[in-house]
Amino acid sequence: MGRVIAIANQKGGVGKTTTSINLSACLAEKGKKVLVIDTDPQGNTTSGLGIDKNDLDNTVYELILGECSIYDCIVKDAIPNVSVLPSNVNLAAAEIELIGVDKKEFILKNEVDFVKDDYDFIIIDCPPSLNLLTINAMTTADSVLVPIQCEFYALEGLSQLIHTVNLIKERLNPDLEMEGVVFTMYDSRTNLSMQVVENVKANLQENICDTVIPRNIRLAEAPSYGMPITMYDPKSSGADSYRKLADELINRKGA
Ligand SMILES: Nc1ncnc2c1ncn2[C@@H]1O[C@H](COP(=O)(O)OP(=O)(O)O)[C@@H](O)[C@H]1O
Ligand SMILES: [Mg+2]
């Protein structure tokens, strides 16, 4: 059965989408079957995997409104071994549409249950907020991976995020675990990145991934070509680091 990992941090710009796209591509490169779920109305994971987000009949929005089945919604093999549940700006209205709907925290989970056996990994890219879409991601997930940008305010908001994970574990998804945090945009030329890593290690009682994702311009360029880093520049430091992260996650649970 597929391992479901939500990539979450309510801060924007920390590398959630970059991690979702490239971790998925690297897992796929290692022969794993991957489903990526885009729960951010910005749809950057969708377009970053080469899908035209404005030309879709069925997206996560239609799915959670019950207007299509998960089978209608999946874009199969957007790249080899990576299928996508896509999103676009329509999803921004979902929270309002779901007012008063029964069990609205479990809509995504109930759908994903149908296809969980078809994949080795299901990666969920979360929006930059702690809203109903994030809650749906966390009720669906087995674990939460938190990208942390190596910058001065790295720890800001982290206790709120961990509190949210704990609340969801207590009340909605007792099996939810913290996969841990992964440092992103590490710049070896500055002391700041190193200090941030040291500071987080000293203050955070959570699992910290051994792999650190460097700042690499190729990672920032790839989405505009609709490609993951494994296709855009497979020999870059960005590609190498996401391969290491994929290995780390595969080996952690022997999936
Ligand atoms: N390791 C990296 N090196 C260089 N640029 C990066 C890296 N990770 C992310 N970026 C860039 O930083 C910006 C924010 O990243 P993104 O993954 O979209 O964050 P989030 O999904 O958390 O909002 C994007 O422009 C992205 O291309
Ligand atoms: Mg994003």
Side-chain angles (χ1 to χ4, degrees):
M1 191 179 285
R3 242 169 93 197
V4 187
I5 303 176
I7 315 282
N9 187 333
Q10 75 275 30
K11 267 191 172 185
V14 298
K16 291 181 292 296
T17 297
T18 304
T19 299
S20 299
I21 292 171
N22 295 305
L23 174 62
S24 298
C26 290
L27 288 166
E29 203 182 55
K30 292 172 191 300
K32 302 297 177 188
K33 282 201 77 186
V34 184
L35 175 67
V36 189
I37 306 179
D38 191 354
T39 67
D40 186 346
Q42 291 179 70
N44 291 341
T45 290
T46 301
S47 55
L49 285 164
I51 298 166
D52 181 354
K53 62 187 174 191
N54 298 315
D55 184 27
L56 292 164
D57 292 330
N58 296 308
T59 65
V60 171
Y61 176 72
E62 282 78 16
L63 182 71
I64 66 177
L65 260 59
E67 292 173 3
C68 69
S69 81
I70 190 158
Y71 300 103
D72 299 329
C73 188
I74 291 176
V75 178
K76 283 224 168 103
D77 291 305
I79 62 163
N81 275 346
V82 179
S83 296
V84 181
L85 270 185
S87 283
N88 59 28
V89 68
N90 293 343
L91 189 59
E95 180 124 23
I96 300 205
E97 301 266 4
L98 290 174
I99 290 174
V101 169
D102 202 25
K103 299 208 165 60
K104 60 186 172 190
E105 297 89 351
F106 297 99
I107 299 174
L108 185 65
K109 180 200 163 27
N110 291 337
E111 290 294 330
V112 169
D113 277 350
F114 289 117
V115 300
K116 229 177 152 177
D117 286 342
D118 300 343
Y119 299 95
D120 299 306
F121 283 90
I122 299 177
I123 304 292
I124 312 180
D125 186 21
C126 291
S129 51
L130 296 173
N131 62 12
L132 185 60
L133 294 166
T134 306
I135 294 171
N136 263 277
M138 289 190 186
T139 56
T140 308
D142 299 310
S143 66
V144 179
L145 178 64
V146 181
I148 294 187
Q149 188 182 350
C150 294
E151 46 119 43
F152 187 68
Y153 295 108
L155 278 169
E156 204 181 66
L158 213 60
S159 59
Q160 203 186 6
L161 177 62
I162 291 166
H163 177 64
T164 304
V165 172
N166 287 334
L167 269 185
I168 289 178
K169 188 175 164 76
E170 247 174 70
R171 300 187 189 165
L172 300 173
N173 181 5
D175 298 329
L176 185 65
E177 288 175 18
M178 269 294 276
E179 191 73 52
V181 304
V182 57
F183 292 106
T184 63
M185 296 180 241
Y186 185 90
D187 189 342
S188 56
R189 294 166 306 178
T190 68
N191 286 331
L192 179 63
S193 277
M194 213 169 64
Q195 283 164 7
V196 168
V197 169
E198 293 311 315
N199 181 20
V200 172
K201 281 185 177 165
N203 290 294
L204 189 70
Q205 312 304 319
E206 298 290 343
N207 184 28
I208 294 174
C209 293
D210 293 332
T211 308
V212 172
I213 308 298
R215 187 174 279 284
N216 174 217
I217 186 73
R218 308 300 271 169
L219 286 169
E221 290 167 358
S224 55
Y225 296 88
M227 288 184 205
I229 195 69
T230 46
M231 292 165 69
Y232 179 67
D233 191 347
K235 295 199 165 99
S236 60
S237 64
D240 276 347
S241 65
Y242 277 109
R243 284 191 191 103
K244 281 197 191 117
L245 185 62
D247 277 334
E248 204 179 329
L249 292 177
I250 290 170
N251 292 332
R252 196 174 281 174
K253 294 255 174 71

